[in-house]
Amino acid sequence: MEKLIITCAVTGAEVTKKDNPAVPYTPEELAESSFFAFCAGASVIHLHVRNPDGTPAYSRDLFRKTVDLIRKKCDPIIMVSTGGAVGMSIDQRTEGLDAGTEMCSLTTGSVNFGSDVFLNTPSDIEKVATRIQQKGHKPEIEIFDAGMVDNALALVKKGLLKEPLAFQFVLGVPGGIGASVRSLSYLADSIPAGSTWTVAGVGRHEFSMGAHAILMGGNVRVGLEDNVYVRKGVLAESNAALVERIAKIAKEFDRPIADPNDARRILGLKPRA
Ligand code: KMH
Ligand code: ZN
């Protein structure tokens, strides 16, 4: 089995310091939290940015500043979000593509998202995929519901996505596909041979889905974006605490952890000097 890539989704757009005071907002907080997550075993940082009051931001300057600060401390693969927050325009959501990063997210369909709708019309998806190609990023395809895999395969046929594909199965968003072993197996069986996949179990599903992925040969995303608890009822002190727990589970099952260079090789990215 390949080494395990651990992604840390350090902040997202929805959770706030009211949910967990460790949720990072400023570039400095984001860089520090990413650094400690990296030290704990994360080789990929999935990045959103925030305004100082914690509301979701889309500024390319904030992305650039955060990326520069992270890179002063360590060299993980940085994956900027093009999902942003519900209600952002496509121009706002693609601001992060100018921060000099290697990867970005790409959601290939619309989904109910709690009481909102995370809207990704066919033309908007093509617009984002085109910009991703122009900006030389490898997309990670965010799958919130099963039909999004088929939509991604249609983009391959149109030349807007290139194999090998990298998938992220986000399971357990209220409105999306549920977090179950059956759903995870179905999705893992639905993607083209040679693709990589990662699972992000939302909320209480983070570690159970992660443990299944470790055994199935997939990869795992943890982080305060998806889940603020390190154990039932115990708030995570940091993103690093979530990474540490999944790294410990991986070690129990003798699955070695990928460092950023291993992760670049596994994901088909160019090595960084
Ligand atoms: N905040 C969600 C609406 C992504 O980063 O690409 C979308 C999201 C997905 O977080
Ligand atoms: Zn995200």
Side-chain angles (χ1 to χ4, degrees), residues 4-48:
L4 174 73
I5 301 173
I6 301 176
T7 296
C8 188
V10 289
T11 190
E14 290 81 23
V15 292
T16 69
K17 288 186 192 290
K18 282 194 187 129
D19 302 303
N20 182 328
V23 174
Y25 290 167
T26 65
E28 290 76 14
E29 287 173 348
L30 285 162
E32 188 183 81
S33 199
S34 300
F35 172 63
F36 287 117
F38 168 86
C39 294
S43 50
V44 180
I45 299 295
H46 172 82
L47 188 67
H48 293 241

Side-chain angles (χ1 to χ4, degrees), residues 89-213:
S89 69
I90 296 304
D91 284 346
Q92 292 169 338
R93 283 168 48 179
T94 51
E95 288 263 326
L97 293 175
D98 285 316
T101 49
E102 295 161 271
M103 289 187 78
C104 63
S105 59
L106 171 69
T107 300
T108 50
S110 299
V111 62
N112 285 346
F113 200 87
S115 50
D116 292 312
V117 179
F118 180 32
L119 189 65
N120 294 285
T121 65
S123 68
D124 281 348
I125 297 166
E126 291 193 9
K127 203 186 273 180
V128 178
T130 304
R131 286 187 195 175
I132 290 170
Q133 282 193 338
Q134 286 164 347
K135 303 285 181 181
H137 283 64
K138 178 172 174 112
E140 179 185 77
I141 305 158
E142 312 283 308
I143 302 298
F144 291 80
D145 219 338
M148 293 188 190
V149 173
D150 302 283
N151 296 344
L153 301 185
L155 291 178
V156 174
K157 283 205 181 117
K158 287 188 175 180
L160 289 169
L161 285 177
K162 298 254 178 309
E163 296 188 70
L165 304 176
F167 287 91
Q168 174 71 255
F169 304 137
V170 187
L171 306 187
V173 169
I177 192 166
S180 68
V181 178
R182 195 170 62 151
S183 298
L184 183 58
S185 301
Y186 172 75
L187 291 171
D189 284 347
S190 304
I191 59 178
S195 307
T196 56
W197 65 267
T198 302
V199 73
V202 172
R204 66 194 165 88
H205 303 292
E206 183 159 88
F207 292 103
S208 56
M209 287 296 105
H212 285 291

Side-chain angles (χ1 to χ4, degrees), residues 71-88:
R71 291 228 175 106
K72 277 192 185 140
K73 293 169 183 278
C74 54
D75 192 27
I77 296 167
I78 303 178
M79 174 193 298
V80 289
S81 171
T82 69
V86 164
M88 281 184 187

